[in-house]
Amino acid sequence: MSIDTDTAAKVAKLARIKVEPEQLPALAQEFSNILDFIEQLNEVDVDGVEPMVSVTPMRLKRREDGVTDGGIQDRILANAPDAREGFFAVPKVVE
């Protein structure tokens, strides 16, 4: 895919990158090279290849996903300026 200097100038403007007019042909060529490489990557057959998280095979540590109440309600509410019936009490802010 070939990118012309007008398209390169438009992309630079959208990216808010200041590019001097004499540098536009080189930028257009660089954009073309990038798009050519992406086209090459699209030709690679990746059927049956699992996505990787890391280059080394590893498994993330997991923990039991259990719901608990924490068991420390009294300690948490001890820091509250106003607590009532086991909950934080906050002033009404909407009339």
Side-chain angles (χ1 to χ4, degrees), residues 54-72:
S54 173
V55 294
T56 58
M58 58 189 286
R59 187 158 173 94
L60 296 176
K61 295 179 183 175
R62 299 181 186 257
R63 64 173 172 83
E64 180 75 26
D65 190 16
V67 178
T68 66
D69 66 354
I72 57 172

Side-chain angles (χ1 to χ4, degrees), residues 25-68:
L27 182 64
Q29 182 60 45
E30 190 66 29
F31 285 157
S32 295
N33 292 343
I34 291 169
L35 291 176
D36 289 341
F37 182 70
I38 292 172
E39 287 179 6
Q40 282 181 339
L41 291 176
N42 285 333
E43 294 173 6
V44 175
D45 181 21
V46 293
D47 289 337
V49 177
E50 289 188 39
M52 294 177 20
V53 175
S54 173
V55 294
T56 58
M58 58 189 286
R59 187 158 173 94
L60 296 176
K61 295 179 183 175
R62 299 181 186 257
R63 64 173 172 83
E64 180 75 26
D65 190 16
V67 178
T68 66

Side-chain angles (χ1 to χ4, degrees), residues 17 25 39 58 70-71 74 82 88 92 94:
I17 299 171
E39 287 179 6
M58 58 189 286
D74 295 334
D82 187 10
F88 289 101
K92 184 177 180 180
V94 179

